[in-house]
DNA sequence: TGCCAGGCCGAAA
DNA sequence: TTTCGGCATGGC
């Protein structure tokens, strides 16, 4: 990884498998918007950042220090995704999925933001998830200016916990509102502790987070992967079954294991973008 | 207009 | 343990 500093941005080269488009649009996060020039602007960890692809790497707004402090980890740039991707592509289906999703990096998002976002995601479509999260931030987050535009941070659990269901009605997120409120209150009162969850093994953490109201198996798996960076989330057996629903092919079980969550993301993105595996009509 | 969406809860079987 | 109706809302 080679870093070159410029006045208000840096360029990182020597990065295999990075695509801002695939990373920000694959469905793992909801706060990065594609710009007319193909770059992405988003907010994470209370900062606005602009990212675009360049030859053999990426360009990112800010300084080298900010990159080292926040964005290097956020973008998971020190993991060898090329090797992981190649290890996944063991048959026609996995080869297609891995090639389709090439460049996905699993973002190391803020724990709370990920949990809250995936609570909102349940039985919802991606444009509306994005819309609800945007409204949540605009109404309850802190304003930050960037390149003459207003952006908003993701509201803290303390802020959300101080609100009422009436306050949250503006989100129009229906039955999910009490789940959001309860999750925020659990954090404030200490019954939900992300540091403790991080230290648990994945099955234990899954069991624990599922005691939270509104967090079932699916939201739990998304939170474990995108919010706690547990790359073995999305249990092998469950996800292989799901993959077979998406695609009428065989999965190589030996390809799974340590990086099941990353493999899942290739499959999900591939399936969704190609209209594979949509729910049959009732 | 109607189906569906990165589901979950709680009751009934 | 599994099944199933109900749940809020809006994108398409």
């Amino acid at each position: 990884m080679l870093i070159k500093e410029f006045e208000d941005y840096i360029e990182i080269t020597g990065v295999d498998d990075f695509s801002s488009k695939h990373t920000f649009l694959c469905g793992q996060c909801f706060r990065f918007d594609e710009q007319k020039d193909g770059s992405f602007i988003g907010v994470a960890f209370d900062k606005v950042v602009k990212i675009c692809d360049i030859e053999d790497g990426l360009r990112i707004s800010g300084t080298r220090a900010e990159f080292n402090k926040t964005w290097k980890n956020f973008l998971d740039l020190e993991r060898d995704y090329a090797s992981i991707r190649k290890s996944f592509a063991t048959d026609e289906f996995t080869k297609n999925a891995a090639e389709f999703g090439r460049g996905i990096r699993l973002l190391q998002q803020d724990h709370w933001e990920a949990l809250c976002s995936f609570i909102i995601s349940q039985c919802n479509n991606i444009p509306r998830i994005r819309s609800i999260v945007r409204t949540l931030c605009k109404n309850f987050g802190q304003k930050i200016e960037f390149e003459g535009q207003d952006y908003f941070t993701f509201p803290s659990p303390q802020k959300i916990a101080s609100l009422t269901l009436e306050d949250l009605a503006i989100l129009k997120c229906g039955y999910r509102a009490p789940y959001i409120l309860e999750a925020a209150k659990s954090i404030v009162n200490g019954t939900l502790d992300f540091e403790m969850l991080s230290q648990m093994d994945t099955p234990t953490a899954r069991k624990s987070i599922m005691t939270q109201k509104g967090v079932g198996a699916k939201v739990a798996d998304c939170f474990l992967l995108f919010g706690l960076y547990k790359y073995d989330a999305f249990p092998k057996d469950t996800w292989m079954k799901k993959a077979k629903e998406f695609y009428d092919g065989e999965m190589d079980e030996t390809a799974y294991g340590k990086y099941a969550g990353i493999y899942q993301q290739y499959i999900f993105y591939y399936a969704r973008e190609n209209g594979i595996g949509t729910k049959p009509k009732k």
Side-chain angles (χ1 to χ4, degrees), chain A residues 100 246 266-277:
Chain A
F100 189 87
F246 280 159
Y266 290 133
I267 296 169
F268 171 74
Y269 186 47
Y270 174 59
R272 196 194 72 205
E273 294 300 305
N274 288 283
I276 302 166

Side-chain angles (χ1 to χ4, degrees), chain A residues 112 116 135-141 154-171 173 177-185 188:
Chain A
W112 161 242
C116 199
T135 307
L136 177 70
C137 296
K138 193 169 180 181
N139 282 277
F140 306 116
F154 197 91
S156 66
Q158 289 73 20
K159 173 66 184 178
I160 300 294
S162 73
L163 302 173
T164 64
L165 285 177
E166 287 69 34
D167 295 325
L168 292 176
I170 195 169
L171 304 180
C173 66
Y179 301 156
I180 296 170
L181 196 55
E182 283 204 33
K185 286 181 175 172
V188 170

